[in-house]
Amino acid sequence: MNAIKIAAIVLIIAGGLGLAYGGFSYTAESRQANIGPIELTMNERHWFSIPVWAGMAAITMGVLLLAVPRKN
């Protein structure tokens, strides 16, 4: 397999996951207060949504990379 086919497969998989899950969440820790030996922290959960058009564009680009013949 060459690099273009691998990139195409990765794009198709990433686009499919983006459409299936719609985004991902992550936790960010922030320091709120530091009073002597006591440290107060807060965990914030953030959601990053992936637009439908981005998932569809990734799938389309992956399919095009696989379908378009290349000159060797």
Side-chain angles (χ1 to χ4, degrees), residues 2 4-5 62-72:
N2 60 11
I4 293 177
K5 286 185 181 180
V63 169
L64 286 175
L65 282 174
L66 286 177
V68 174
R70 303 270 184 245
K71 291 183 180 179
N72 289 336

Side-chain angles (χ1 to χ4, degrees), residues 2-47:
N2 60 11
I4 293 177
K5 286 185 181 180
I6 293 172
I9 292 170
V10 168
L11 279 172
I12 293 170
I13 291 171
L17 288 174
L19 290 176
Y21 290 108
F24 60 92
S25 65
Y26 63 94
T27 304
E29 185 175 297
S30 62
R31 182 176 296 165
Q32 297 290 44
N34 195 4
I35 305 169
I38 299 172
E39 181 179 318
L40 300 174
T41 60
M42 183 176 174
N43 290 332
E44 295 182 62
R45 194 171 192 136
H46 299 281
W47 177 259

